[in-house]
Amino acid sequence: MPNDVLRAAMAKAMVTEPELADRCGVDVKTVGRWLAHDDRMPHPRHRYAAAEALGADPEMLWPDGIRRNIKTGPDREVAAVYPRRSDCPKSVWRSLISGATKDITLAGYTNYFLWLELPNLRGVLRRKAENGCRVRFLLGDPASETTRNRECLEDVPLTVSTRIRITLDELAKLGTIQGIEARYSDEHIAMSVFVFDDEMLVTTHLAHLVGHDSPMLHLKRMLEGGLYDRYAYHVAELWGAGRLVSGLDARQSPE
């Protein structure tokens, strides 16, 4: 169906198709497609540019398309999808960590990349724990058979066990701080889950690839028993069965 609302707004503002295309930075044929199909949703920046040019609300210009794109099922918990973990901006990680007040659970097999990509992470986590936020690390055991097998698959100079030991060294530098805990598990070698209160980042590892090359979901908890809750159950089960990291036992609480 044609987008009569958009055409009426253009007529009222006395803006032609070439003029709107120029204001939005698109080809005039693209504007023609917007007019011909009311369910054709422009990119957000183009919607806002068109709304500004016409003095209208973007929701009013594409009402049917927006209604059809509103998520009403379980997928509404999916805030973003990244083909590779490395595609996720560092600002997302920083925002999630700084915004968490109750729970930060870093259930990556090595968590090595966090120390490289997030400056002063030790200081941030220390302050979080001192302010009452629970901080948990679920790591792979650097001496386990699972770790050795993964090293053979990856076949990279910076081995899995080395990356885990870097995280252990960073945790040791934190000293004794109530609320920061670490456990070993061999059951999350193929999936990393990072929890920040009611949001999480989930990476499912692809064969022979390191974590930064694998897909990642950004989830926000919005319903009972949804995707967030399913992954949270996964983390809770692995944490409950995890083994205390030697040398950090004094500051960890048994469950």
Side-chain angles (χ1 to χ4, degrees), residues 183-196:
R183 296 185 183 183
Y184 287 136
S185 172
D186 298 323
E187 302 300 322
H188 63 308
I189 186 69
M191 182 167 63
S192 301
V193 182
F194 307 93
V195 183
F196 313 93

Side-chain angles (χ1 to χ4, degrees), residues 74-143:
D75 62 335
R76 69 181 182 271
E77 290 194 310
V78 180
V81 177
Y82 303 98
R84 297 171 182 80
R85 192 189 69 203
S86 56
D87 294 330
C88 178
K90 295 177 185 178
S91 59
V92 172
W93 291 92
R94 288 195 295 267
S95 176
L96 290 173
I97 291 174
S98 64
T101 59
K102 298 175 293 184
D103 176 35
I104 295 175
T105 299
L106 304 171
Y109 201 77
T110 73
N111 292 305
Y112 159 76
F113 73 98
L114 293 169
W115 310 105
L116 293 182
E117 298 184 6
L118 302 174
N120 194 31
L121 180 59
R122 267 191 286 128
V124 172
L125 295 181
R126 178 184 290 109
R127 289 191 294 273
K128 286 291 178 182
E130 290 172 346
N131 288 322
C133 182
R134 179 178 65 174
V135 179
R136 302 186 298 177
F137 282 80
L138 189 66
L139 300 167
D141 187 336

Side-chain angles (χ1 to χ4, degrees), residues 151-169:
E151 289 178 339
C152 291
L153 285 173
E154 289 187 359
D155 191 26
V156 294
L158 190 62
T159 63
V160 177
S161 57
T162 299
R163 302 199 303 267
I164 295 171
R165 289 190 174 96
I166 289 173
T167 291
L168 293 173
D169 183 59

Side-chain angles (χ1 to χ4, degrees), residues 20 44 183 192 199 227:
L20 185 60
R183 296 185 183 183
S192 301
E199 297 188 51
L227 285 172

